[in-house]
């Protein structure tokens, strides 16, 4: 076998391997963060259970996949799309639109937890623990990933947001009573008053007629 043939075979093998690695996924994947090491931090030695950046670099992430954090209440899980928040290891200046806190503010320590995070935004996603005022993040309990489109979001994750909640109307918001401005009359009263006016006119005419007749006769009685 000549050197040119060997070189050709090596080139073909590299191309086939590259094509296979770039092939689109055929299913959604659940990624256990840190594999068997889980998501843990030793506060005595200030060390993480594993190298999470190396773990993330060995995975391929796509929309619709899930990250499974097997951890405890001694750690938190922060998901953010904000690089500045990630680098600061703090959510103090973050926005509710780009940063999400899982297990934040838990006061019961050493409680086993499993936190499941869906990947719903394509592009850079950042994860860290802000426990111990960011010390865990600063010592390696953090990683970043790039989420590919893959199969796209499944129907269960591709839903429109719920409508904005509105308070139901209270008793003070009941419709006010209908009032008739001064100078205007209701339909029923108008008919009654018109009828009364006709009766008055009729009485006046009757008395006038009697007065005329009485005058001709020298008096009414």
């Amino acid at each position: 076998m000549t050197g040119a043939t060997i070189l050709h075979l090596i080139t073909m093998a590299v191309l086939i391997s590259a094509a296979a690695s770039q092939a689109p996924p055929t299913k959604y994947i659940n990624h256990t963060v840190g594999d068997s090491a889980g998501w843990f931090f030793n506060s005595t030695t200030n060390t993480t259970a594993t190298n999470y950046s190396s773990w993330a670099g060995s995975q391929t992430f796509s929309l619709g996949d899930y990250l499974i954090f097997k951890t405890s209440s001694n750690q938190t899980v922060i998901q953010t799309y904000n690089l500045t928040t990630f680098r600061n290891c703090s959510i103090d200046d973050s926005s509710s639109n780009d940063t999400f806190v899982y297990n934040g503010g838990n006061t019961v320590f050493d409680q086993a937890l499993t936190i499941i995070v869906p990947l719903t935004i394509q592009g850079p996603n950042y994860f860290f623990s802000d426990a111990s005022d960011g010390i865990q993040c600063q010592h390696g309990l953090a990683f970043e990933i790039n989420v590919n489109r893959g199969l796209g979001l499944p129907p269960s994750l591709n839903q429109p947001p719920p409508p904005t909640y509105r308070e139901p109307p209270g008793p003070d918001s009941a419709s006010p009573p209908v009032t008739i401005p001064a100078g205007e009359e209701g339909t029923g009263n108008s008919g009654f008053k018109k009828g009364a006016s006709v009766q008055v006119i009729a009485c006046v005419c009757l008395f006038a007629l009697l007065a005329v007749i009485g005058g001709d006769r020298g008096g009414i009685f």
Side-chain angles (χ1 to χ4, degrees):
M1 185 178 294
T2 64
T5 302
I6 295 175
L7 180 60
H8 177 72
L9 291 175
I10 293 175
T11 303
M12 291 297 295
V14 170
L15 292 176
I16 292 173
S17 177
S21 64
Q22 296 176 1
T26 57
K27 62 180 181 179
Y28 299 105
I29 300 175
N30 294 334
H31 305 269
T32 300
V33 177
D35 293 327
S36 60
W39 180 251
F40 290 98
F41 185 83
N42 188 323
S43 59
T44 303
T45 60
N46 280 343
T47 57
T48 58
T50 189
N51 188 318
Y52 294 99
S53 294
S54 297
W55 170 83
S58 67
Q59 309 287 313
T60 299
F61 304 94
S62 301
L63 290 175
D65 288 356
Y66 284 87
L67 298 187
I68 313 297
F69 291 82
K70 293 185 176 180
T71 183
S72 74
S73 54
N74 297 359
Q75 295 77 216
T76 64
V77 175
I78 309 296
Q79 179 187 23
T80 184
Y81 310 113
N82 189 319
L83 179 58
T84 301
T85 297
F86 176 67
R87 288 177 174 173
N88 290 339
C89 290
S90 172
I91 62 173
D92 290 345
D93 298 323
S94 64
S95 167
S96 60
N97 295 326
D98 59 27
T99 302
F100 305 92
V101 180
Y102 301 86
N103 190 37
N106 197 322
T107 58
V108 180
F109 294 102
D110 296 320
Q111 181 181 2
L113 296 173
T114 298
I115 298 174
I116 302 174
V117 180
L119 300 180
T120 60
I121 300 295
Q122 187 175 351
N125 284 234
Y126 308 98
F127 297 87
F128 66 94
S129 171
D130 70 340
S132 304
D133 295 326
I135 292 177
Q136 294 185 1
C137 170
Q138 295 166 9
H139 286 81
L141 199 57
F143 63 93
E144 60 181 287
I145 64 175
N146 185 68
V147 178
N148 302 309
R149 174 167 176 75
L151 299 174
L153 287 176
S156 59
L157 295 177
N158 193 17
Q159 299 293 328
T164 303
Y165 175 76
R166 294 184 178 180
E167 289 286 346
D172 295 337
S173 62
S175 300
V178 178
T179 58
I180 301 176
E184 297 185 8
E185 300 171 348
T187 304
N189 291 338
S190 176
F192 173 77
K193 291 187 176 181
K194 288 179 180 178
S197 299
V198 172
Q199 292 177 358
V200 171
I201 294 173
C203 290
V204 171
C205 292
L206 178 60
F207 276 106
L209 179 60
L210 292 176
V212 171
I213 296 174
D216 293 340
R217 296 180 178 179
I220 297 178
F221 303 102

